[in-house]
Amino acid sequence: MDPKGKAVLITGGARIGRAVAVALAERGADVAMTYRKSKKSAEEAVTRVRDLGVRGLAVRADLTSEADLGNAIKKASRAFGGLDILVNMASIYEKTAFKNLGSKAWDKNMAANLECAYLLSLKSAPLMKRRGGGRIIHFSDWVAASGRPRYRDYVPYYVSKAGIIGLTEALALELAPEILVNAIAPGPILAPPDLSSKEKREVQRVTPLGRWGGPEEIAKAVLFLIETDFVTGECIRVDGGRHLY
């Protein structure tokens, strides 16, 4: 699929989402972005998109609310005359000690990381089919894509991201051949703001390519999964070989 002239909805992804939005706008796609708290970041990204000569839209939405989620899809579809591509980056990443686990932590992770991806797909697919097909790209995690947990205190998060891979595979089968469904599993792309210099260097040490990837690497993967016409049901790790260590 050529992104030119296509309508895209990107959910979440405040920092990396901007790079993805700009990359798609550079190829002529109209881009809508959802945000919950990062209004400034989303509006700055949309301004950059519009500067590239295409349409841009920022929509506030709590994606754990089915009403908000559906409203975001409607707004994007109305603004652009339809929907062709969903890039579902919305996610939470929280550490929870085992002794503090319960239904609250479980429900929060499932709602933010897995259920919203499921509902977004269900509501987006009919719009894509009306336009002859589309692309759905979910976001998992390099740890979940490696098939085993590596860090303690992330039980609900890990299970939700493993669920994204299962969801991707199941939807790819259900929606073929009109809609291709894939996932990206990022590794060390951007260092969290609270990470110390020592911790950043340690991540680089255990990453075979020896560096943090940067958001542009995710944008490249998104473009590939949009432009390919023969890859579906896959989860691609973008982790600099981190899973090999």
Side-chain angles (χ1 to χ4, degrees):
M1 173 183 282
D2 184 350
K4 186 174 182 179
K6 297 299 188 289
V8 183
L9 176 61
I10 300 173
T11 68
R15 297 189 296 168
I16 298 174
R18 175 173 178 149
V20 173
V22 169
L24 286 165
E26 287 175 339
R27 282 157 179 79
D30 297 318
V31 181
M33 300 185 71
T34 69
Y35 68 90
R36 188 166 65 91
K37 293 181 179 179
S38 305
K39 181 179 180 180
K40 182 179 178 182
S41 178
E43 289 182 341
E44 287 175 350
V46 166
T47 297
R48 176 69 177 127
V49 164
R50 290 173 178 162
D51 288 344
L52 290 166
V54 294
R55 291 175 291 182
L57 177 70
V59 181
R60 187 188 181 283
D62 176 359
L63 296 177
T64 63
S65 161
E66 187 169 356
D68 267 23
L69 180 151
N71 186 52
I73 292 173
K74 285 180 183 178
K75 284 187 175 181
S77 179
R78 286 173 183 169
F80 302 151
L83 186 65
D84 303 290
I85 299 164
L86 169 66
V87 182
N88 182 43
M89 303 179 71
S91 183
I92 60 171
Y93 179 70
E94 295 181 348
K95 189 173 185 177
T96 308
F98 184 80
K99 64 180 181 180
N100 296 326
L101 288 178
S103 60
K104 185 177 180 180
W106 177 268
D107 291 344
K108 185 178 182 180
N109 277 268
M110 294 302 151
N113 295 345
L114 183 56
E115 185 177 6
C116 73
Y118 168 70
L119 293 174
L120 282 162
S121 300
L122 294 186
K123 294 177 185 295
S124 297
L127 298 174
M128 294 178 185
K129 287 189 175 184
R130 286 177 202 167
R131 287 162 69 96
R135 302 287 187 272
I136 296 175
I137 301 171
H138 295 308
F139 273 68
S140 183
D141 185 284
W142 76 273
V143 176
S146 298
R148 63 184 175 89
R150 293 177 180 238
Y151 304 107
R152 294 180 182 272
D153 300 333
Y154 290 96
V155 172
Y157 173 81
Y158 176 85
V159 175
S160 68
K161 289 300 185 180
I164 283 288
I165 297 173
L167 177 66
T168 297
E169 294 171 343
L171 286 175
L173 180 60
E174 292 287 342
L175 298 176
E178 297 96 335
I179 300 171
L180 278 60
V181 186
N182 291 289
I184 293 171
I189 297 300
L190 279 178
D194 58 348
L195 210 65
S196 68
S197 297
K198 182 179 180 181
E199 289 171 321
K200 290 178 184 176
R201 289 194 299 271
E202 176 59 17
V203 170
Q204 290 177 244
R205 186 187 71 80
V206 295
T207 300
L209 296 189
R211 63 181 178 88
W212 292 79
E216 294 76 17
E217 295 301 326
I218 297 299
K220 292 174 188 176
V222 169
L223 288 171
F224 166 72
L225 292 175
I226 290 171
E227 293 172 346
T228 182
D229 293 316
F230 206 62
V231 176
T232 195
E234 286 293 335
C235 180
I236 299 175
R237 283 181 295 227
V238 183
D239 69 352
R242 176 69 182 87
H243 66 281
L244 300 172
Y245 194 85

